Amino acid sequence: MRILVTNDDGIFADGLWTLVGELKSIADIVVVAPDREMSAIGTAVSLHQPVRARKVTPKVDGVETYAVEGTPADSVILALGKLVRDRVDLVISGINRGANLGDDVLISGTVGAALQASLHGFPAFAISLALGDNLHFGNAAKFATLLAIRFSSGALPNNICLNVNLPLEQIKGVRLTHPARKSHTDTVEERYDNGRQHYQLVRQRINKPIDEGTDIWAVEQGNISISPLLTLDANPSPLISDSLCAELFQELQQRA
Ligand code: MN
């Protein structure tokens, strides 16, 4: 199996390389990712300027690695359309520094890259870890590997896009969820720099009870959340089930 790995935190982010280090035991890895931080850029694509890419030295030996002067979605399009064409079985975006839950799914560059891969007909998932004082990406990398094995074996269908989020604290379970709606609010603050006025957009979680079954609910309860975002068939696949979640949790505990 060959896996394309990308992210929106930039090509040298720890989350990406912890993921690559773990995935290397089960697959060939190619990394194509933005050369800088590109968080909150969503599915943006650079249609009106050149997109440059250069080969760079990987942080894990033996991994073909390209840095892209563009967005996460640009990186995926470039990889699948040119750099590693016909050689990819699965696309993974992450591990993002910070959760991508609720309304944030629509602005996340991490998720944007996975959606772009899905639009090109590739199985894909985004994976993010909730922010905290001591970020350890190890469990998220192990969980991504368990999912990759299931895509490879056919236990997960190749026509879906998943959004996966891990809690910071100890993991209590794995839940199948849907993204919470109206979870965030944007306010506009008027500010001044050197006497010159500008506006600052401030994005905040709305302080309200969160519905059961949503991604925010699952992660706040200490669970790993799996939200199917897109399936290329009319009906969601029966292969993504609560029993699969239970199986994944059991296996993660054995490996942790
Ligand atoms: Mn990010």
Side-chain angles (χ1 to χ4, degrees):
M1 173 164 58
R2 184 174 278 104
I3 301 174
L4 170 66
V5 176
T6 191
N7 73 353
D8 79 354
D9 291 337
I11 192 129
F12 297 114
D14 288 342
L16 182 146
W17 289 103
T18 307
L19 175 63
V20 170
E22 192 74 32
L23 288 172
K24 236 195 128 191
S25 61
I26 60 149
D28 262 1
I29 312 298
V30 181
V31 173
V32 183
D35 66 352
R36 69 202 74 180
E37 161 90 40
M38 278 276 168
S39 294
I41 200 129
T43 54
V45 175
S46 307
L47 293 181
H48 304 295
Q49 69 248 41
V51 178
R52 298 179 205 282
R54 64 182 200 280
K55 243 183 171 160
V56 296
T57 309
K59 281 194 179 178
V60 171
D61 281 347
V63 176
E64 194 178 332
T65 303
Y66 299 87
V68 175
E69 284 178 40
T71 68
D74 290 341
S75 302
V76 168
I77 293 168
L78 204 61
L80 299 177
K82 188 75 182 177
L83 300 174
V84 282
R85 195 161 41 169
D86 301 332
R87 294 193 283 140
V88 173
D89 302 298
L90 172 67
V91 179
I92 306 179
S93 180
I95 301 163
N96 190 60
R97 208 179 149 276
N100 281 305
L101 299 164
D103 295 340
D104 272 350
V105 167
L106 295 176
I107 64 166
S108 161
T110 308
V111 176
L115 286 173
Q116 192 60 244
S118 197
L119 291 176
H120 282 72
F122 290 81
F125 64 89
I127 184 158
S128 307
L129 174 64
L131 276 180
D133 290 339
N134 280 311
L135 275 189
H136 296 295
F137 293 104
N139 273 333
K142 286 191 179 102
F143 193 72
T145 304
L146 295 180
L147 287 176
I149 290 168
R150 277 165 175 79
F151 275 105
S152 167
S153 71
L156 277 169
N158 62 11
N159 60 355
I160 53 164
C161 182
L162 304 176
N163 183 35
V164 180
N165 281 274
L166 280 88
L168 184 64
E169 68 273 28
Q170 212 194 338
I171 296 158
K172 295 189 184 130
V174 179
R175 297 279 184 164
L176 200 57
T177 63
H178 58 272
R181 299 296 306 275
K182 298 185 176 155
S183 64
H184 289 70
T185 177
D186 292 306
T187 50
V188 180
E189 290 180 2
E190 200 175 322
R191 294 185 186 174
Y192 292 86
D193 52 291
N194 298 321
R196 215 173 138 219
Q197 186 230 42
H198 70 267
Y199 296 108
Q200 180 69 47
L201 308 187
V202 181
R203 193 167 171 81
Q204 281 172 323
R205 269 279 300 284
I206 295 173
N207 191 12
K208 61 160 192 187
I210 290 296
D211 294 337
E212 204 172 311
T214 61
D215 53 357
I216 294 178
W217 171 82
V219 171
E220 280 182 353
Q221 304 289 315
N223 299 294
I224 298 175
S225 160
I226 303 179
S227 290
L229 294 183
L230 196 65
T231 163
L232 300 182
D233 287 334
N235 299 309
S237 169
L239 292 174
I240 320 169
S241 62
D242 289 333
S243 67
L244 175 80
C245 288
E247 197 182 297
L248 284 164
F249 180 50
Q250 206 171 23
E251 223 172 293
L252 183 65
Q253 283 180 309
Q254 285 159 10
R255 296 200 182 196

